[in-house]
Amino acid sequence: MSGGAGATGTRKADVARRLKRIEGQVRGLQRMVDEDTYCIDVLTQISATGAALRATALALLDDHLNCCVREALSEGGEGAQEKVEEASRAIARLVRA
């Protein structure tokens, strides 16, 4: 959302809402561990939290591609190539995670 035009107000609000929900999930995980919740149930919630983080990352990536990268490509020049490479590196990080 920084380093360029950024996300629209709606997208920013969506990402903030998702992150608050994820924050609640992590707090719930802490509570589950403190309460000695059955390990499989904790693992299930960890998986759900990871999926929520991945979905948020993909939404941000989609926004970046459709805003910042598209804009750079329409302008052309070295900036366009840099934005494509930047997006490629971000995708590689997501795939490795």
Side-chain angles (χ1 to χ4, degrees):
M1 283 194 250
S2 64
T8 63
T10 303
R11 175 61 84 184
K12 185 175 181 179
D14 178 55
V15 169
R17 182 182 49 76
R18 287 173 182 245
L19 290 174
K20 285 193 181 291
R21 187 179 315 133
I22 292 165
E23 181 181 16
Q25 286 178 290
V26 171
R27 283 196 187 117
L29 283 166
Q30 291 171 330
R31 195 170 32 256
M32 291 173 82
V33 170
D34 290 344
E35 296 171 357
D36 293 324
T37 302
Y38 185 58
C39 294
I40 297 301
D41 294 338
V42 176
L43 290 169
T44 299
Q45 289 306 309
I46 288 172
S47 178
T49 303
L53 280 169
R54 284 186 298 279
T56 303
L58 289 173
L60 283 168
L61 179 60
D62 183 62
D63 200 47
H64 181 66
L65 290 171
N66 286 303
C67 180
C68 301
V69 175
R70 179 179 286 173
E71 183 179 305
L73 288 173
S74 70
E75 292 173 3
E78 286 183 29
Q81 183 61 34
E82 289 173 12
K83 285 292 183 191
V84 169
E85 289 171 3
E86 178 184 61
S88 181
R89 288 190 305 272
I91 292 166
R93 283 192 303 273
L94 285 172
V95 170
R96 284 192 303 265

